[in-house]
Amino acid sequence: MLIKKPSDIPASEITPESIYLARRDFMRGSIATGLLGAASLSSQNLMADPSYSAAEAVNKGPEWLNTQIARAKADTQKLTESLTPFEHVTGHNNFYEFGYDKTDPAKYSKRFKPDPWQVEIAGQVAKPGKYNLEDLLKGIDLEERVYRLRCVEAWSMVIPWVGFSLASLLKKFEPNSNAKYVSFVTLKDSRQFPAQAGSLSTIDWPYREALRIDEAMHPLTILAVGLYGKTLPNQNGAPLRLVVPWKYGFKSIKSIVKIEFTDRQPKTTWSQIAPSEYGFYANVNPQVDHPRWSQAHERRLPSSLFSPNVIPTQMFNGYADQVSNLYTGLDLRKFY
Amino acid sequence: MPVMWRRALLFCASLIPVIFISFGAATNQLGADPAKAIVLFTGTWAFYFLLITLSVSPLKRLANQSWLMVHRRMLGLFTLFYAVLHMLAYLIFILGLNFSIFGAELVKRPYILLTIPAVILLIVLGITSTKGMMRRLGKNWVKLHKSIYLIAILAWLHVLLQVRSSYADAVLFGVLTAGLLGIRCYWFFKKKSSISSSKP
């Protein structure tokens, strides 16, 4: 199947409203393997999707944000793989600030307050400061991006994010020529993040992540404020999270309170916990195994019990055409 | 309570976890990754049964609760039962019985590799758990069944080597395993020293 680039698609072809191919796959139901099964063409409006009843539980979001999300442009580059149902996207999360179990974030994030929200901009920029989220999003056109998400634990999903290109935001602050890296910090507040008070964690809070400036400016890198056409649920990193689709999930930091431009490679949480296991780059790469397990395959969720949906992992999570030029001449085995 | 009743009751109680998780699977209540949930749950219960089995003789010695000795074999067999379920769940639900991936995983994941001797030993202990086998093996039976200590250490390593974000499980199982094995070491050396000191 030929996938057109957005630039090849005339504006007249762009669907004015978000249309999704959300098919509810029951655990016992046969699940079309994403890479082989072409997406069913019976598109339906999400609001009519039965799995959407779970949306009741998510944070409603402030009015201004809902309005902006409702106006988001649909993703024209539809993946052929089917979407992971809403209740799995919002019920199966690694968000250790809320607990270490995959179901903890949905359970323990109800008291989290994503509104009002401020983001501090710092470092090598002309316009540092603390900005209200609403002001950051002023004049930004949101769009839907359907991306694969590959967790370093070898499971994966396909998620329809709503967000905007990180580059469009970063440029507003006018980074100077010393800005070689961009670092991100998650909120630290044990009243809202109960697990930050725990003592047996390997993590030194707050959670930190970073990208090289060219990775941050890449058109595929987005900041998400919603998913499935709705405000981002707390357990998915409300109100603002990073999504870098060609890297392992832990790079896509949640609930961002600080963005800093630096001239040196910043320290990042996972590479501090276990430097031999989680590198700074963390590009999805089937040829470079995690020291404790293979990364050659992944389980695309939902996966039925008696025919697990095990698929081969793609180089750069299937985004090699767009991103491999970022790493020309870099030894990906050494810079994992 | 007569011993037969106690046996029946313990047998039914030991089946509760497997019934619980099967019900969860059948009714789609295990979330987005039911395979992982089942594997984790059965593995956790295998470890619990191992620890319960290992508590029987210290309880007899420390709290004078010797009635448990009668049930030790059943508890041990339930350890085997949950360990085998754990392994089958991994092979069927996670790998889809794809043995070429399994081979690669064995090489890549030391925490899986070290469970192979543990499972083999558990099966051997299960086979030799009958009264007839006890008779046939005589003194060697006790020696053979002491390998449960090695199995416990391997099981704990299996948990420890998987730690990513929290040490909670590794510490919990580690403390319990260390306690149960440590008290045996203590008794062993106490016995040795009392034997050697009683010599003229």
Side-chain angles (χ1 to χ4, degrees):
Chain A
M1 175 179 164
L2 180 77
I3 297 178
K4 298 179 184 173
K5 290 203 176 65
S7 54
D8 305 336
I9 298 170
S12 59
E13 266 189 43
I14 294 173
T15 327
E17 66 209 312
S18 303
I19 298 215
Y20 298 93
L21 300 166
R23 252 205 4 259
R24 182 138 192 216
D25 288 317
F26 284 102
M27 196 174 74
R28 314 196 144 282
S30 62
I31 289 156
T33 39
L35 296 171
L36 302 171
S40 79
L41 292 170
S42 60
S43 359
Q44 47 176 320
N45 192 312
L46 232 211
M47 300 312 285
D49 188 275
S51 71
Y52 213 62
S53 57
E56 303 307 317
V58 309
N59 94 64
K60 291 282 180 283
E63 200 49 46
W64 62 266
L65 184 56
N66 292 334
T67 313
Q68 236 173 311
I69 287 173
R71 287 204 305 259
K73 283 204 306 275
D75 190 349
T76 49
Q77 284 199 75
K78 283 276 182 260
L79 286 175
T80 53
E81 291 128 275
S82 48
L83 300 180
T84 300
F86 178 88
E87 80 266 25
H88 292 333
V89 171
T90 57
H92 183 92
N93 313 90
N94 278 334
F95 197 165
Y96 295 129
E97 283 86 341
F98 290 123
Y100 298 98
D101 211 72
K102 297 280 189 293
T103 53
D104 285 347
K107 267 187 251 170
Y108 303 119
S109 61
K110 293 184 177 61
R111 281 174 46 206
F112 184 79
K113 268 186 60 116
D115 178 50
W117 193 265
Q118 281 197 324
V119 182
E120 183 189 346
I121 308 292
Q124 307 286 343
V125 280
K127 299 178 175 172
K130 279 200 164 177
Y131 296 85
N132 291 326
L133 185 63
E134 190 173 357
D135 300 333
L136 289 179
L137 264 69
K138 271 216 175 84
I140 281 184
D141 290 327
L142 297 180
E143 47 185 303
E144 177 205 36
R145 297 276 184 103
V146 179
Y147 281 158
R148 297 177 202 95
L149 176 87
R150 169 63 158 79
C151 179
V152 74
E153 294 167 348
W155 53 267
S156 64
M157 294 183 175
V158 177
I159 302 173
W161 301 105
V162 178
F164 56 97
S165 111
L166 176 64
S168 66
L169 182 74
L170 296 187
K171 283 171 189 156
K172 283 185 177 179
F173 309 115
E174 297 165 22
N176 62 39
S177 59
N178 292 329
K180 304 271 194 291
Y181 294 89
V182 187
S183 81
F184 304 86
V185 183
T186 296
L187 176 72
K188 184 178 180 184
D189 178 359
S190 56
R191 279 168 313 165
Q192 294 192 69
F193 285 144
Q196 284 183 339
S199 56
L200 283 173
S201 172
T202 59
I203 303 167
D204 178 21
W205 309 109
Y207 192 88
R208 298 167 191 279
E209 258 311 332
L211 296 170
R212 224 169 53 186
I213 189 84
D214 57 341
E215 295 175 323
M217 293 292 184
H218 192 280
L220 282 180
T221 307
I222 59 166
L223 285 172
V225 290
L227 55 80
Y228 265 100
K230 283 273 187 225
T231 302
L232 207 55
N234 293 343
Q235 62 267 37
N236 294 85
L240 185 72
R241 70 167 290 169
L242 182 69
V243 182
V244 194
W246 71 92
K247 292 176 181 282
Y248 292 121
F250 67 86
K251 293 295 288 184
S252 295
I253 185 171
K254 302 180 174 99
S255 307
I256 299 165
V257 291
K258 186 176 177 185
I259 300 176
E260 187 173 6
F261 296 80
T262 63
D263 55 351
R264 264 175 241 167
Q265 185 176 303
K267 293 224 183 309
T268 56
T269 295
W270 278 105
S271 56
Q272 277 182 290
I273 295 169
S276 65
E277 300 190 7
Y278 311 100
F280 172 79
Y281 284 93
N283 290 317
V284 175
N285 187 339
Q287 280 129 38
V288 176
D289 285 329
H290 184 279
R292 287 187 278 168
W293 58 83
S294 153
Q295 293 290 24
H297 294 88
E298 65 200 59
R299 282 175 315 121
R300 173 63 51 83
L301 303 181
S303 174
S304 78
L305 281 177
F306 289 99
S307 55
N309 200 6
V310 179
I311 55 176
T313 290
Q314 303 177 72
M315 188 68 206
F316 294 117
N317 205 20
Y319 301 97
D321 289 355
Q322 291 110 301
V323 301
S324 55
N325 60 346
L326 293 171
Y327 308 104
T328 313
L330 190 76
D331 180 353
L332 295 175
R333 213 161 261 294
K334 200 171 153 212
F335 298 94
Y336 51 88
Chain B
M1 205 179 346
V3 76
M4 277 315 286
W5 279 102
R6 281 209 317 254
R7 276 216 171 99
L9 201 67
L10 187 68
F11 184 83
C12 293
S14 301
L15 286 172
I16 290 170
V18 68
I19 292 165
F20 175 82
I21 198 77
S22 307
F23 182 76
T27 53
N28 285 345
Q29 287 179 49
L30 303 180
D33 201 353
K36 203 71 178 278
I38 294 169
V39 169
L40 198 67
F41 183 90
T42 48
T44 304
W45 276 97
F47 213 141
Y48 287 156
F49 274 99
L50 178 68
L51 294 169
I52 295 166
T53 310
L54 281 173
S55 326
V56 172
S57 68
L59 276 171
K60 175 187 159 191
R61 197 162 159 170
L62 295 171
N64 236 335
Q65 302 291 324
S66 56
W67 61 276
L68 270 166
M69 285 303 276
V70 180
H71 303 293
R72 194 168 64 170
R73 177 186 304 142
M74 191 194 283
L75 292 166
L77 286 169
F78 269 108
T79 307
L80 168 66
F81 173 72
Y82 280 101
V84 168
L85 282 185
H86 175 59
M87 195 178 72
L88 287 176
Y90 168 70
L91 289 172
I92 298 166
F93 301 149
I94 302 266
L95 298 181
L97 291 177
N98 183 329
F99 286 97
S100 70
I101 295 183
F102 180 58
E105 294 285 298
L106 273 185
V107 177
K108 287 275 167 0
R109 306 196 189 204
Y111 70 83
I112 294 175
L113 190 62
L114 60 78
T115 61
I116 302 286
V119 168
I120 291 171
L121 277 173
L122 267 179
I123 291 169
V124 170
L125 298 192
I127 292 168
T128 59
S129 65
T130 61
K131 283 206 169 77
M133 276 292 191
M134 283 172 100
R135 262 199 310 277
R136 236 166 296 168
L137 291 167
K139 259 193 187 156
N140 290 330
W141 189 90
V142 177
K143 273 189 197 147
L144 175 64
H145 280 250
K146 284 211 161 123
S147 62
I148 192 74
Y149 308 148
L150 174 64
I151 292 167
I153 292 164
L154 290 172
W156 179 66
L157 283 173
H158 177 65
V159 174
L160 181 73
L161 290 174
Q162 291 177 72
V163 169
R164 280 191 70 237
S165 50
S166 166
Y167 285 110
D169 285 353
V171 168
L172 171 77
F173 287 124
V175 167
L176 294 171
T177 308
L180 289 166
L181 297 185
I183 195 148
R184 286 171 166 85
C185 287
Y186 170 73
W187 286 331
F188 176 77
F189 287 114
K190 215 170 91 171
K191 199 168 133 191
K192 256 183 108 155
S193 63
S194 69
I195 290 167
S196 60
S197 63
S198 63
K199 277 179 187 160

